[in-house]
């Protein structure tokens, strides 16, 4: 699994747990819809740290809280 897929899965999981829409998050952090759509889409091959930190802060989390999920513990996670 690609790191971008793992990030998208984690964001989706958090949004679902909080009963929050992707649109609501986009508005909260003033992120263009196309940026979020690209990040959440399977065609995305990388994750920009600045964008990810913007999302994490918008979710009112720390980076440690965001990455504290089994999806990031996969030894076969593609990071290149």
């Amino acid at each position: 699994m690609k790191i971008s897929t793992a990030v998208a899965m984690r964001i989706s999981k958090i949004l679902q747990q909080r009963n929050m829409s992707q649109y609501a998050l986009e508005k909260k952090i003033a992120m263009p819809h196309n940026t979020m759509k690209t990040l959440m889409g399977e065609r995305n091959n990388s994750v920009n740290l600045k964008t990810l930190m913007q999302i994490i802060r918008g979710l009112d989390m720390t980076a440690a809280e965001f990455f504290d999920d089994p999806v990031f513990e996969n030894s076969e996670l593609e990071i290149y």
Side-chain angles (χ1 to χ4, degrees):
M1 172 187 319
K2 295 184 291 187
I3 187 76
S4 56
T5 302
V7 167
M9 288 173 58
R10 180 65 171 141
I11 293 168
S12 292
K13 182 178 177 181
I14 294 166
L15 290 175
Q16 185 176 34
Q17 288 171 343
R18 296 180 180 190
N19 198 27
M20 182 180 195
S21 71
Q22 183 176 309
Y23 178 77
L25 178 60
E26 291 169 7
K27 290 300 177 192
K28 182 176 181 181
I29 62 176
M31 178 174 284
H33 175 70
N34 285 338
T35 301
M36 183 67 82
K37 184 178 176 181
T38 299
L39 178 69
M40 299 300 284
E42 286 294 319
R43 66 185 185 277
N44 187 26
N45 291 320
S46 64
V47 179
N48 180 302
L49 182 58
K50 180 180 175 182
T51 302
L52 183 55
M53 289 306 297
Q54 183 180 6
I55 291 168
I56 290 170
R57 288 180 182 166
L59 292 169
D60 299 316
M61 302 179 82
T62 65
E65 290 169 326
F66 182 84
F67 288 108
D68 185 23
D69 188 88
V71 73
F72 297 110
E73 296 174 9
N74 183 343
S75 62
E76 296 181 16
L77 193 62
E78 295 178 22
I79 56 173
Y80 46 89

